[in-house]
Amino acid sequence: QVQLQESGPGLVKPSQTLSLTCTVSGGSISSGSYYWSWIRQPAGKGLEWIGRIYTSGSTNYNPSLKSRVTISVDTSKNQFSLKLSSVTAADTAVYYCARGGGRPFDPWGQGTLVTVSS
Amino acid sequence: QSALTQPRSVSGSPGQSVTISCTGTSSDVGGYNYVSWYQQHPGKAPKLMIYDVSKRPSGVPDRFSGSKSGNTASLTISGLQAEDEADYYCCSYAGSPLFGGGTKLTVL
């Protein structure tokens, strides 16, 4: 079955760009009609959808983050990536990747904690 | 878009039933049959429990059921078990996904 795994730096300095990659295993990221999403969760708080990408490269972003988010896909590596620019402490969270665009999300990666601090 | 409204906490004893509500608007919960529910244990990733309002993925016990009336969706867990203690999140698709604030279920 499909599995997802997030990777990237666990510490990012304020004003810099957060970069994460999600590697998909157990199936091709290009097979099926799926979106691939990023979702985050600050400690002790709820889930926030960041954005999604279709395998064609078409993207949709949360309006509250749209100006700072870029999601891309590399089908040759079976990966998709997240870039979040101009980060602040408010962007400290566990970041999850998931298959789906919200109808629904399944499965999810295990999550990776990103801390924004100098 | 504002987050969907869920009770912050609910509780029940083993064997009992509990229902968690998720209230939105006619633009999200009421307008689409794309409500999903996720279970999250501490330190773990969310797990899909219900999708398309009332459908259960393979492997999810039939003790979990979903429904919707108007702008409010509900997750009902019958025959509560200790392992059901977790946080539960609803999600509605309104052009883009929107999550509820989460509900902590305590099994007494």
Side-chain angles (χ1 to χ4, degrees):
Chain A
Q1 70 280 22
V2 170
Q3 294 182 309
L4 294 82
Q5 177 70 59
E6 306 86 352
S7 60
L11 181 64
V12 181
K13 288 182 166 50
S15 80
Q16 293 191 342
T17 296
L18 177 160
S19 296
L20 296 174
T21 296
C22 182
T23 300
V24 179
S25 59
S28 171
I29 199 170
S30 301
S31 66
S33 301
Y34 290 112
Y35 280 97
W36 302 87
S37 287
W38 287 98
I39 298 155
R40 70 181 183 178
Q41 183 175 35
K45 296 188 178 181
L47 300 165
E48 179 181 35
W49 177 72
I50 299 170
R52 66 189 179 198
I53 189 165
Y54 198 62
T55 49
S56 64
S58 171
T59 55
N60 302 100
Y61 301 129
N62 185 322
S64 68
L65 298 168
K66 186 175 182 178
S67 64
R68 299 194 291 130
V69 175
T70 302
I71 297 176
S72 59
V73 64
D74 187 337
T75 54
S76 67
K77 294 182 178 179
N78 231 30
Q79 296 175 334
F80 64 107
S81 298
L82 168 70
K83 291 189 185 298
L84 181 66
S85 64
S86 304
V87 296
T88 70
D91 295 309
T92 294
V94 174
Y95 285 75
Y96 295 100
C97 58
R99 185 176 67 178
R103 293 168 43 183
F105 300 108
D106 182 54
W108 297 56
Q110 66 183 30
T112 188
L113 174 62
V114 178
T115 301
V116 178
S117 175
S118 55
Chain B
Q1 288 177 314
S2 299
L4 304 175
T5 300
Q6 296 181 234
R8 296 201 64 166
S9 64
V10 298
S11 62
S13 299
Q16 288 186 333
S17 293
V18 295
T19 296
I20 300 171
S21 62
C22 171
T23 301
T25 70
S26 59
S27 297
D28 39 65
V29 174
Y32 300 84
N33 286 323
Y34 296 129
V35 177
S36 51
W37 290 90
Y38 302 87
Q39 177 191 64
Q40 186 179 35
H41 287 110
K44 300 295 187 181
K47 174 188 175 184
L48 178 66
M49 305 301 285
I50 295 288
Y51 68 101
D52 292 354
V53 175
S54 60
K55 297 178 181 177
R56 268 181 293 106
S58 174
V60 172
D62 59 8
R63 302 184 295 103
F64 292 84
S65 62
S67 62
K68 189 184 84 166
S69 177
N71 298 334
T72 298
S74 298
L75 172 70
T76 298
I77 309 170
S78 58
L80 266 180
Q81 300 182 3
E83 59 262 35
D84 298 333
E85 184 163 296
D87 293 327
Y88 290 85
Y89 293 90
C90 63
C91 179
S92 178
Y93 183 79
S96 60
L98 184 62
F99 285 100
T103 298
K104 181 176 180 57
L105 168 62
T106 301
V107 180
L108 301 171

